[in-house]
Amino acid sequence: MDYSKLKTADIIHLNNKELSEYIYSIQDQLQMKLSSGLSIDDIIDQEDPFEGLEPILPQEVYPILVLAMINNIRSNTVMEAILEGLQKGIKQYKKSN
């Protein structure tokens, strides 16, 4: 699946395995850009890699996601916390839309 074009409306239909793959895909792209010398500020000025997740990601989980992506943290514990937050956010998003 090509995760690069997913919008929030697509993301809310992903299962946990696909959500993990989506997050790792964003993380890989972000790490490539950081390795090329761009700063996180430069990257966000050009595009917001978290745009599709922002409407469904609870505020308390957002910093965990961002720090994990920037620091290339891929532990199961962190991913479980992110997925749990996303599932809660997806339920709330579906109720309100």
Side-chain angles (χ1 to χ4, degrees):
M1 177 181 288
D2 180 12
Y3 293 110
S4 63
K5 307 260 190 254
L6 293 183
K7 305 285 185 217
T8 304
D10 304 312
I11 297 168
I12 62 171
H13 298 292
L14 299 178
N15 61 38
N16 276 355
K17 182 179 185 297
E18 292 167 327
L19 282 170
S20 294
E21 291 171 359
Y22 174 66
I23 291 166
Y24 288 139
S25 171
I26 294 171
Q27 190 172 20
D28 290 342
Q29 292 172 17
L30 189 60
Q31 287 302 313
M32 238 186 335
K33 292 175 183 178
L34 289 169
S35 294
S36 76
L38 291 173
S39 72
I40 190 66
D41 292 330
D42 294 334
I43 295 166
I44 290 175
D45 284 346
Q46 294 172 9
E47 64 176 300
D48 184 355
F50 313 112
E51 184 176 3
L53 293 171
E54 286 171 354
I56 57 174
L57 195 63
Q59 191 172 10
E60 64 272 9
V61 180
Y62 188 79
I64 297 169
L65 174 76
V66 172
L67 289 172
M69 291 210 174
I70 291 171
N71 295 307
N72 205 22
I73 298 169
R74 295 174 180 253
S75 75
N76 289 337
T77 305
V78 171
M79 182 55 74
E80 287 170 10
I82 293 168
L83 291 175
E84 184 179 316
L86 280 172
Q87 289 302 336
K88 287 179 187 174
I90 288 170
K91 284 180 187 173
Q92 288 177 339
Y93 182 86
K94 285 180 176 179
K95 283 182 185 176
S96 65
N97 288 312

